[in-house]
Amino acid sequence: MLEAYFDNNRSASLTAKQLHIHVNTLYQRLKKIEEKMNISFTNSEHLLKIQLVCYLKKFHYS
């Protein structure tokens, strides 16, 4: 889900459409991720780290 979110340039509506879920469901899932990982998607440092992990996962394990 996070990979799709970042692939869609953090567009909630595009990501929800791609994942075939309601946009509110996406927001709820993102909030759960923030809480479990103790991060904030509004913090640029946190965003960079999460994007890096998604990038490495996508291209390193391909």
Side-chain angles (χ1 to χ4, degrees), residues 1-61:
M1 186 198 73
L2 278 178
E3 291 173 0
Y5 183 61
F6 289 117
D7 286 346
N8 288 304
N9 294 317
R10 296 177 38 218
S11 168
S13 59
L14 289 176
T15 304
K17 187 175 182 177
Q18 180 182 354
L19 297 175
H20 306 288
I21 60 174
H22 193 276
V23 70
N24 289 341
T25 303
L26 177 67
Y27 285 131
Q28 290 171 352
R29 291 180 185 178
L30 291 172
K31 186 68 177 167
K32 282 184 183 181
I33 291 170
E34 285 181 318
E35 291 170 357
K36 289 189 183 264
M37 295 181 69
N38 196 28
I39 61 166
S40 172
F41 288 120
T42 59
N43 181 313
S44 59
E45 186 177 331
H46 293 171
L47 274 176
L48 178 61
K49 289 178 182 179
I50 296 299
Q51 284 178 303
L52 181 59
V53 167
C54 289
Y55 176 82
L56 289 172
K57 181 181 179 273
K58 186 175 184 177
F59 291 105
H60 181 69
Y61 295 109

